[in-house]
Amino acid sequence: MKAGWAQMAYEINLYCSTDGLSAEKGLDAILSQAKADGVELQATSRNSGDNWDAAEFDLAADTPGTSGCLVQFQSASPLVEAALAEVVPEDLSGRVRFADAIVTLTLSGDDCWSVVKAVWVAARSLWDVVPYDEGSGFAVDLDEL
């Protein structure tokens, strides 16, 4: 990439049915489940607000801040309800309407696919997850990434 050119971010949303888990507990659950799955993730630059918690996720073996993968967990808020209402008509499976949280993975680096896979697998182990991205919609698949 040429110096001075901005790299586009790519987002994957995981619509999750968590039975009302708070954002902080949701993000912690992903970290714990990834560890149980054999992937040590570290969360840096962690911030939170009303019904959301976010951090840069890296593999523990990497230098913090190198993956370029921001993970945000949102739950129980009007923003989640609005986001769900927007995509429910596109979901032919009907599963999104049961979601109560959204895990958003925002990728802006080149070295984050192992982090994406670890977060996606952890979330899928914990909850019913319906993945979505703007390019493939609900047809996005972890194996194709």
Side-chain angles (χ1 to χ4, degrees):
M1 179 172 26
K2 293 184 179 184
W5 287 38
Q7 188 171 13
M8 298 280 294
Y10 169 65
E11 281 189 1
I12 300 171
N13 288 317
L14 305 175
Y15 297 98
C16 306
S17 300
T18 69
D19 290 327
L21 203 59
S22 73
E24 180 182 2
K25 289 183 180 183
L27 206 59
D28 288 340
I30 290 170
L31 289 166
S32 294
Q33 184 62 46
K35 186 174 183 176
D37 292 340
V39 180
E40 186 79 28
L41 294 174
Q42 59 186 350
T44 57
S45 304
R46 192 160 178 175
N47 293 297
S48 62
D50 289 338
N51 303 311
W52 67 270
D53 200 358
E56 180 93 14
F57 275 27
D58 297 293
L59 296 177
D62 292 343
T63 304
T66 60
S67 80
C69 187
L70 176 67
V71 179
Q72 182 173 351
F73 192 103
Q74 299 176 71
S75 63
S77 75
L79 289 175
V80 170
E81 291 173 18
L84 291 171
E86 189 174 305
V87 297
V88 162
E90 295 178 45
D91 176 31
L92 300 179
S93 74
R95 293 171 38 223
V96 168
R97 64 187 168 103
F98 297 110
D100 60 5
I102 304 170
V103 176
T104 302
L105 298 105
T106 304
L107 295 66
S108 59
D110 296 328
D111 302 323
C112 51
W113 292 108
S114 54
V115 173
V116 169
K117 182 177 180 181
V119 171
W120 191 327
V121 168
R124 191 171 58 193
S125 295
L126 292 165
W127 312 295
D128 182 29
V129 172
V130 183
Y132 178 90
D133 78 357
E134 287 187 11
S136 300
F138 288 107
V140 66
D141 187 313
L142 179 60
D143 295 328
E144 73 183 28
L145 298 175

